[in-house]
Amino acid sequence: MDRREALRKTALLMGAAVSASAMAGLLNGCKAKPDLNYKPVFFNEDQARLVSELSDIIMPKTDTLGAKEVGVPNFIDKMLNECYKKEDQDRFLAGLASFDEEAKKAHGDSFIYLKPEEQLTFVKKYNEDSVKASKEKPGPKPFFLMAKELTLMGYFTSEEGATKVLQYEAVPGAYKGCIPLKEAGQGRTWAT
């Protein structure tokens, strides 16, 4: 007997003592919301959690820190709040809501509650569809491509991205106008 079956039988034994909503919560599993490590200004907390999980799928932790750990969700929140036009802000929020609705249709739950492999599969498919739609119908950038752009910008302008993934030297040395990239320092692109 699995956990769901045990809970179902317990509920039957208890009769009306367990309300339907409490039972539904138990059967769906008590899911904890992912941590939110900043105070959002532009997003509400649910949107901020969704952006955090999405950015961490786009730039996951490897031998360097992931997007959430370097503050990319906070960067996206500030960029949208302080630098984007109202129409672009609205397009991002509408796309974010649509993204989560598509996840619910495809997997039966909000994106933030999906298993990591389901999130990755969903994001890959969503990315392919967004790129295809962008090529077929030029115009304003689709939500997902905006989210990717903001994630990459936030990551590579963070200390981690600029110093551990890219090359960074606060005060560069002598100017060498034309040398092979591998001679320019560990084969990495310059951050600045």
Side-chain angles (χ1 to χ4, degrees):
M1 180 183 320
D2 65 5
R3 184 175 142 232
R4 286 181 182 261
E5 187 62 29
L7 289 171
R8 195 180 329 259
K9 288 187 177 185
T10 302
L12 288 174
L13 288 173
M14 294 177 71
V18 178
S19 71
S21 60
M23 200 62 221
L26 285 173
L27 289 175
N28 286 331
C30 297
K31 299 174 183 174
K33 290 183 176 181
D35 289 339
L36 188 59
N37 59 4
Y38 75 101
K39 179 87 176 138
V41 176
F42 177 71
F43 298 122
N44 64 38
E45 290 198 1
D46 288 337
Q47 292 167 334
R49 283 187 178 85
L50 180 55
V51 168
S52 292
E53 295 303 307
L54 176 59
S55 67
D56 220 40
I57 293 289
I58 294 170
M59 287 299 294
K61 181 177 183 173
T62 56
D63 55 335
T64 58
L65 299 176
K68 275 198 295 193
E69 293 169 293
V70 302
V72 168
N74 190 20
F75 173 84
I76 293 172
D77 187 84
K78 285 185 176 180
M79 286 293 287
L80 283 166
N81 189 51
E82 296 173 10
C83 302
Y84 277 59
K85 295 177 187 171
K86 175 82 171 110
E87 63 196 56
D88 294 328
Q89 292 174 339
D90 292 344
R91 189 161 40 91
F92 190 93
L93 291 177
L96 187 64
S98 175
F99 175 82
D100 203 36
E101 283 302 315
E102 291 294 321
K104 288 176 185 171
K105 286 180 190 170
H107 297 282
D109 211 345
S110 178
F111 181 80
I112 62 173
Y113 297 123
L114 300 181
K115 295 175 185 167
E117 58 273 7
E118 290 174 328
Q119 288 180 332
L120 184 60
T121 301
F122 182 74
V123 165
K124 283 181 178 177
K125 174 81 170 93
Y126 210 87
N127 179 53
E128 290 170 7
D129 293 347
S130 296
V131 169
K132 185 178 175 186
S134 178
K135 287 180 180 175
E136 289 175 359
K137 187 179 176 188
K141 196 175 287 185
F143 152 75
F144 192 78
L145 299 183
M146 288 174 71
K148 271 178 61 176
E149 180 180 86
L150 285 166
T151 299
L152 296 177
M153 186 187 312
Y155 190 83
F156 289 113
T157 56
S158 71
E159 183 178 342
E160 179 80 6
T163 61
K164 302 228 169 108
V165 179
L166 302 175
Q167 291 187 66
Y168 177 79
E169 196 169 339
V171 181
Y175 175 75
K176 298 175 185 173
C178 185
I179 58 172
L181 181 60
K182 65 183 176 188
E183 292 177 22
Q186 304 167 7
R188 294 186 291 177
T189 303
W190 284 96
T192 56

